């Protein structure tokens, strides 16, 4: 005959505390050859608690003693599944303040702990049985603040268990029910619910409301986190991303996060959104990441070198995510605004900008999902505001981006220095260059556009020449190709500029010199790229690998064209250039003849090369003839 | 070097994947486990059966090369590692990975049994191969072979040859030498035995740091790196230096890691869900498509260290090891799947071309113009503008970045270092120059003395200056000495090709060579067998075809036969009917005949009677006549 204040009950409570301690703390230090020692001990205690619980109340003369089968309980649940939405629990069953309700909840809790214990020791079927028993006990009860926490916890565990067995649909069922139970509970009741641990502790040790809320909300955060993974498993990436977002959001609201870790996760999530073209969400994530990473404190002094390095690295990582945001945004904008010959369509730009602004202002802020706890929300919003302003205002777009570049880049490079992080460092430079390339598209002033490309060259040329080909062959190839294209671009711009300035007159010496310089620099880098494909003995490969096929053919084609563009007044030099051009055009044609499958890779280039192979000899002959007569 | 060797570069650089299956061990045989894996070496396929669920069809995987339980160590070496080591000896980078569940023979494949030459694994064999190559090289080729050995455990790098085993090293990267480990010890090895010894030291250290060796080694990656530098005189008379690196990687056991020990049974079904919120980052980054994004923290130390081996500028071979028994089914399948994916590792670093439609269009127009001009026979000047003479000169502003690259590209090699030291010595303080300097100093001192009227202070200053210069000179001399010493120690380490450094390695190399030849022979035979097999199969097909056609024919015939049979039967029954009928007729005829006969009899009787009576009457008449006559 025990009551809840009796010594016997106290003993049960003590056992429970002990079991918790064993399972959560001591199990961590179990030896390798007996990894579950503490878990097994905890299991014994839990089993004892279960027995005494049954005795207790059976002795109390409860009408619902241990004969579960005779009870007029709610419908039996399917043994190993979950009905899609099982919310009957809100209206049916014992209320939890009834004795029977409390007893069922206690039994359910012990079954829950036993279930988790078995899962921890890799005995899944036994674990499942206990968890289902827990569900059975709970099935008799109505959802209330006394037991809702257990309702959610047990479903989380079952979700994990079934996912582990590759039966993700079942897992999804349990987790989604947990989600809807939470939502309905919060709508209908919302008071901080009792935690299961409180079933087994004395009145004075009850948790505060704050602690209760914290534990309960954390359980639900886990539900969302598990759901994110389940959706990911089903390939529903968008849904998965939104659940990750919610998880992050809740961590922030409930103040359960490590600032740097959180910031990195948010920054990573931004990368998902930008690849989906959801720039608003991406920007929001990044702004939040920047603000929260600030909470991690100042960069420590030299003394704590490790921590200092880590912090620097993480901030650099976030900066790199920003770079990708800018880059993707600009590229997408470019795609939208490009007219059919790859020039900026200004009318279109205005139109789109207006549309975008409307969208941002009207709908954007209505978005339900915004990060922020009370104290961080404002700062996140203000970081974002700066970005939005920057992007919205015409012209300021460039100003903003160039300004932020000058801020972001040193930040990104701060950790990833050339010495020690070559690959990362170069990636950042490549991004930087790509940003300038995209920016140049929006720039109307040809002179300034040219300068942007010049900056790209200045950035990339030195590293390209510093890198050892044996280890960085692929990166060097990329760099060479980009440099060649950049010089080519600059050459075209110079020509446009020259033609614009003095339409009728012929080009002056200085311009010609400049032009020839750019032209040969471009040709030189294309040639370097082509040389990098050769064997150590300088033999041209007979067969081009698939991943360099098109670049190689294009490079040949461009080299040919550049040679025929070089300006010279000396006929022998002209002749030499033309012959070189012809040689390269011929290569393209001959390669495609020998490898018919290559023709598809560079269709237009091949067609043009064929024409040139037909035409150039004529031109060369004329030139020769003229030279002969002049002599 | 002959050019043909380098055609290898044109071969696809994908990762080459081979799979090796070990035989059932004693314990497995005793317990009565069944062989679930079938290896077809000729076809290069591996088939895995699942016995528990009979209805599941066996899974088949195809690889570059597969080795069955009977495969020999030397064959494995020659078929897989030899080409890689060959390219390393030509100055490429090569990597050999061993991958697989713990207890599937990774270590046997990589190391084998040292004491028995036939059972040595890839590592000792590659040592023999390398030094065999050196021994055979021309006399004026010089080699330097260095080795290092490290371990990655829990994302921490430990130098297995270092003095301080507690030290954790950093992975770094430099533009000129790529990824490297800061402060990693490396030893020069003069022969295969040296290498063996170094490896043994590393092994010892690997087990020293760990409490539980097996547990530890199955969770840590070990990388043994051999750097081979060699210089030879090129056709131009200069020394050409090349360097190749061979990474031999023993990857951690691939089994999914649960907390497993003596008591708990192996966790067969690993949890598919990350439980802790601390892994949220993994979940998120799995959502992000790597293209045009930045995903923080994706690279582990291992991938960073081997970044140019996986999908980079390197020859890579991956040897996946599997166990044959049915209880390994899940792990075997996951290993094979992984290996299958590894086949498709490709360079991610692609050339991002700027789409230039506008340019092409413009060019089209230019061609059009050119064509027109040519057709019209107009005078064409080589230049569009009217440039003056000096314009076509090469531009000096451009600089020569290519030069710098080559300079940097120069591989660090001792002989080269030696040359550099030499030139350094010459440049800095060639003996002539030193004499000259001394003379100059002397001269200046004299001049100084001559200028007695010079202010004391100034003189002191000048003297100090002079002293300093003298000191510099001494320092330079010392440096010179030091460099010379360094040079000579370095020269000691350099191995000159052709020198007999083989001793033991020679045997192994011979063994390798022999087995390679044998292998060649066998390969030919296998090829022949394969052909025969194919032929046989073709034949079988032919016969089957014939057979089916015969069968069809037979069927047709049977049908016909049946038809004929029924016809026959019908005919027969008709015949019998006819016979019956005939019999009736015969009977009728017979009776007719009887009656006829009877009738004839009757008739003949009657005739006879009549005749008789006629004769009688005649007689009578005659008689009468006679009577009359008489």
């Amino acid at each position: 005959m025990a009551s809840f204040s009796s010594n016997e009950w106290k003993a049960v409570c003590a056992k429970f505390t002990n079991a918790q301690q064993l399972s959560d703390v001591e199990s961590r230090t179990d030896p390798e050859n007996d990894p579950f020692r503490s878990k097994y001990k905890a299991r014994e205690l839990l089993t004892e608690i279960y027995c005494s619980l049954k005795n207790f109340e059976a002795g109390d003369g409860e009408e619902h003693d241990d004969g579960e089968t005779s009870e007029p309980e709610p419908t039996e649940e399917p043994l190993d599944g979950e009905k899609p939405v099982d919310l009957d629990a809100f209206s049916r069953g014992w209320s939890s303040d009834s004795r029977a309700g409390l007893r069922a909840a206690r039994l359910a809790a012990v079954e829950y702990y036993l279930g988790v214990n078995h899962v921890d020791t890799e005995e899944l079927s036994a674990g499942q049985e206990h968890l289902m028993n827990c569900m059975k006990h709970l099935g008799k009860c109505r959802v209330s603040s006394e037991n809702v926490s257990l309702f959610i916890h047990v479903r989380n565990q079952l979700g994990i268990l079934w996912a582990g067995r590759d039966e993700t649909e079942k897992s999804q069922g349990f987790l989604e029910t947990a989600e809807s139970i939470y939502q309905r509970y919060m709508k209908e009741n919302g008071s901080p619910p009792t935690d299961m641990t409180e079933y087994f502790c004395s009145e004075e040790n009850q948790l505060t409301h704050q602690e209760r809320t914290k534990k309960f909300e954390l359980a639900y955060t886990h539900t969302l986190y598990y759901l994110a993974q389940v959706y990911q498993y089903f390939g529903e990436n968008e849904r998965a991303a939104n659940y990750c977002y919610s998880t992050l959001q809740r961590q922030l609201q409930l103040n359960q996060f490590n600032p740097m870790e959180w910031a990195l996760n948010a920054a990573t999530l931004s990368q998902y959104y930008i690849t989906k073209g959801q720039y608003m969400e991406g920007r929001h994530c990044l702004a939040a990441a920047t603000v929260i990473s600030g909470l991690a404190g100042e960069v420590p002094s030299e003394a704590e070198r490790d921590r200092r390095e880590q912090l620097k690295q993480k901030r650099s990582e976030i900066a790199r995510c920003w770079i990708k945001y800018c880059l993707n945004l600009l590229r997408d904008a470019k795609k939208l605004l490009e007219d059919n010959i790859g020039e900026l369509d200004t009318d279109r730009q205005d139109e789109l900008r207006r549309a975008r602004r409307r969208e941002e202002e009207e709908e954007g802020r209505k978005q339900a999902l915004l990060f922020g706890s009370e104290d961080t929300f404002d700062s996140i919003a203000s970081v974002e505001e700066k970005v939005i302003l920057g992007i919205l205002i015409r012209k300021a777009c460039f100003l903003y981006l160039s300004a932020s570049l000058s801020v972001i880049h040193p930040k990104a490079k701060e950790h990833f220095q050339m010495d020690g992080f070559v690959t990362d460092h170069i990636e950042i430079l490549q991004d930087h260059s790509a940003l300038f390339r995209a920016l140049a598209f929006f720039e109307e002033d040809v002179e300034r556009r040219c300068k942007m490309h010049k900056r790209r060259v200045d950035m990339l040329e030195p590293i390209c020449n510093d890198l050892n080909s044996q280890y960085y062959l692929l990166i060097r190839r990329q760099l060479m190709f980009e440099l060649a294209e950049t010089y080519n671009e600059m050459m075209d711009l110079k020509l446009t500029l020259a033609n614009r300035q003095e339409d009728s007159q012929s080009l002056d010496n200085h311009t010609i010199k400049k032009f020839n310089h750019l032209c040969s620099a471009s040709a030189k880098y294309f040639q370097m790229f082509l040389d990098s494909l050769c064997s150590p003995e300088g033999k041209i490969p007979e067969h081009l690998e698939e991943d360099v096929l098109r670049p190689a053919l294009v490079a040949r084609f461009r080299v040919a064209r550049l040679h025929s563009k070089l300006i010279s007044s000396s006929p022998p030099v002209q002749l030499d250039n033309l012959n070189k051009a012809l040689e390269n055009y011929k290569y393209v044609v001959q390669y495609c003849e020998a490898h018919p499958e290559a023709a598809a890779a560079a269709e237009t280039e091949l067609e043009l090369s064929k024409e040139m192979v037909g035409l150039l000899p004529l031109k060369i002959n004329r030139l020769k003839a003229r030279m002969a007569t002049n002599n | 070097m002959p050019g043909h060797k380098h055609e290898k570069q044109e071969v696809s650089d994908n990762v080459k994947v081979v799979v090796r299956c070990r035989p059932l061990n004693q314990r497995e045989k005793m317990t009565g486990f069944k062989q679930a894996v079938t290896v077809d070496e000729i076809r290069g396929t591996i088939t895995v059966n699942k016995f528990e669920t009979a209805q599941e069809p066996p899974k088949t995987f195809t690889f570059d090369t597969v080795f069955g339980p009977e495969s020999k160590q030397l064959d494995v070496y020659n078929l897989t590692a030899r080409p890689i080591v060959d390219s390393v000896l030509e100055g490429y980078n090569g990597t050999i990975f061993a991958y697989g569940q713990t207890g599937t023979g990774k270590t046997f494949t990589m190391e084998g049994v040292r004491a028995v030459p036939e059972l040595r694994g890839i590592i000792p064999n590659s040592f023999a191969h390398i030094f065999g190559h050196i021994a055979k090289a021309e006399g004026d080729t010089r080699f330097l072979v260095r080795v290092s050995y490290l371990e990655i455990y829990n994302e921490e790098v430990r130098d297995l040859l270092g003095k301080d085993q507690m030290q954790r090293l950093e992975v770094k990267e430099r533009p000129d030498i790529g990824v490297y480990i800061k402060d990693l010890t490396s030893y020069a090895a003069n022969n295969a035995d040296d290498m063996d010894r170094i490896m043994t030291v590393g092994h010892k250290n690997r087990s020293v740091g760990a409490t539980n060796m097996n547990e530890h080694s199955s969770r840590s990656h070990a990388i043994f790196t051999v750097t081979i530098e060699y210089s030879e005189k090129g056709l131009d008379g200069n020394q050409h230096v090349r360097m190749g690196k061979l990474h031999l990687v023993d990857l951690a056991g691939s089994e999914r890691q649960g907390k497993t020990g003596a008591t708990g049974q192996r966790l067969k079904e690993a949890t598919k869900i990350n439980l802790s919120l601390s892994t949220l980052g993994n979940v998120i980054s799995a959502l992000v498509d790597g293209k045009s994004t930045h995903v923080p923290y994706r690279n582990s130390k291992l991938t960073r260290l081997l970044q140019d081996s996986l999908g980079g500028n390197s020859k890579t071979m991956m040897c996946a090891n599997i166990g044959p028994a049915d209880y390994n089914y899940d792990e075997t399948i996951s290993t094979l799947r992984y290996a299958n994916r590894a086949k498709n590792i490709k360079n991610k670093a692609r050339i991002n071309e700027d789409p230039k439609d506008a340019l092409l269009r413009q060019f089209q127009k230019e061609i059009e113009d050119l064509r027109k001009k040519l057709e019209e026979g107009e005078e064409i000047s080589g230049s569009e503008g009217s440039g003056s003479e000096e314009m076509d000169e090469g531009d000096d502003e451009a600089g020569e970045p290519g030069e710098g690259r080559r300079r940097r590209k120069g591989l660090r090699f001792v002989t080269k270092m030696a040359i550099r030291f030499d030139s350094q010595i010459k440049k800095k303080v060639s003996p002539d120059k030193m004499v000259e300097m001394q003379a100059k100093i002397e001269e200046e001192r004299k001049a100084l003395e001559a200028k007695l009227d010079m202010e004391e202070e100034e003189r002191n200053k000048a003297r100090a200056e002079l002293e300093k210069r003298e000191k510099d000179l001494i320092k330079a001399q010392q440096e010179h000495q030091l460099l010379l010493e360094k040079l000579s120690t370095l020269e000691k380490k350099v191995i000159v090709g052709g020198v007999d450094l083989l001793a033991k390695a020679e045997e192994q190399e011979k063994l390798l060579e022999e087995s390679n030849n044998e292998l060649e022979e066998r390969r030919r035979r296998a090829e022949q067998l394969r052909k025969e097999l194919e032929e046989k199969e073709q034949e079988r097909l032919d016969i089957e075809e014939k057979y089916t056609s015969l069968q069809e024919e037979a069927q047709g015939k049977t049908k016909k036969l049946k038809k004929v049979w029924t016809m026959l039967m019908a005919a027969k029954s008709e015949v019998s009917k006819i016979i019956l009928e005939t019999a009736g007729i015969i009977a009728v005829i017979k009776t007719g005949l009887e009656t006829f006969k009877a009738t004839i009899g009757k008739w003949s009787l009657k005739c006879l009677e009549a005749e008789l009576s006629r004769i009688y009457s005649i007689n009578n008449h005659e008689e009468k006549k006679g009577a009359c006559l008489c």
Side-chain angles (χ1 to χ4, degrees), chain A residues 121-294:
Chain A
T121 56
E122 301 171 5
E123 294 160 61
L124 295 190
S125 326
Q128 182 199 347
E129 205 174 298
H130 284 292
L131 291 173
M132 287 319 287
N133 284 341
C134 169
M135 291 279 284
K136 230 182 192 172
H137 286 301
L138 285 178
K140 295 174 218 156
C141 309
R142 201 180 302 155
V143 174
S144 70
S145 67
E146 277 79 18
N147 58 22
V148 66
S149 183
L150 191 52
F151 266 89
I152 304 236
H153 270 104
V154 69
R155 282 172 174 83
N156 278 354
Q157 285 298 330
L158 281 164
I160 293 166
L161 189 125
W162 284 109
R165 289 179 169 168
D166 254 344
E167 302 212 31
T168 319
E169 286 87 357
K170 269 185 194 159
S171 170
Q172 183 186 6
F174 283 112
L175 293 170
E176 280 178 351
T177 317
E179 187 187 15
S180 32
I181 289 175
Y182 172 86
Q183 280 165 353
R184 181 139 173 218
Y185 174 79
M186 291 311 274
K187 210 166 104 196
E188 293 181 0
N189 186 331
S191 61
T194 319
D195 191 63
M196 301 98 74
T197 51
E198 292 181 76
Y199 296 160
F200 302 100
C201 62
S202 47
E203 296 282 334
E204 61 267 26
N205 286 340
Q206 298 289 312
L207 299 172
T208 64
H209 280 218
Q210 256 176 335
E211 285 168 325
R212 282 181 172 182
T213 309
K214 201 173 160 186
K215 288 202 165 190
F216 180 60
E217 297 290 347
L218 188 62
Y220 180 60
T221 307
H222 276 95
T223 308
L224 295 179
Y225 176 48
Y226 300 153
L227 272 172
Q229 296 178 61
V230 165
Y231 292 135
Q232 184 171 30
Y233 176 85
F234 287 124
E236 298 179 45
N237 280 0
E238 196 182 336
R239 238 170 140 182
N242 290 337
Y243 274 88
C244 286
Y245 192 105
S246 311
T247 309
L248 284 171
Q249 195 186 23
R250 292 179 56 82
Q251 283 184 305
L252 197 60
Q253 274 166 2
L254 302 165
N255 204 16
Q256 289 161 333
F257 64 96
N258 164 315
M260 230 37 223
E261 203 182 283
W262 193 94
L264 269 193
N265 289 341
T268 313
L269 190 57
S270 76
Q271 303 296 293
Y272 169 79
Y273 286 120
I274 62 171
T275 51
K276 298 286 168 225
Q278 292 171 273
Y279 288 103
M280 223 156 44
E281 285 83 354
R283 188 183 58 222
H284 186 60
C285 286
L286 281 167
T290 305
V291 171
I292 302 299
S293 75

Side-chain angles (χ1 to χ4, degrees), chain B residues 4 14 182 388 487:
Chain B
H4 70 268
N14 277 7
K182 207 178 157 200
S388 57
L487 180 65

Side-chain angles (χ1 to χ4, degrees), chain B residues 111-125:
Chain B
E111 284 163 33
V113 182
R114 299 273 185 88
V116 188
E118 284 81 12
L119 294 182
R120 284 185 195 161
I122 289 175
I123 293 175
N125 279 333

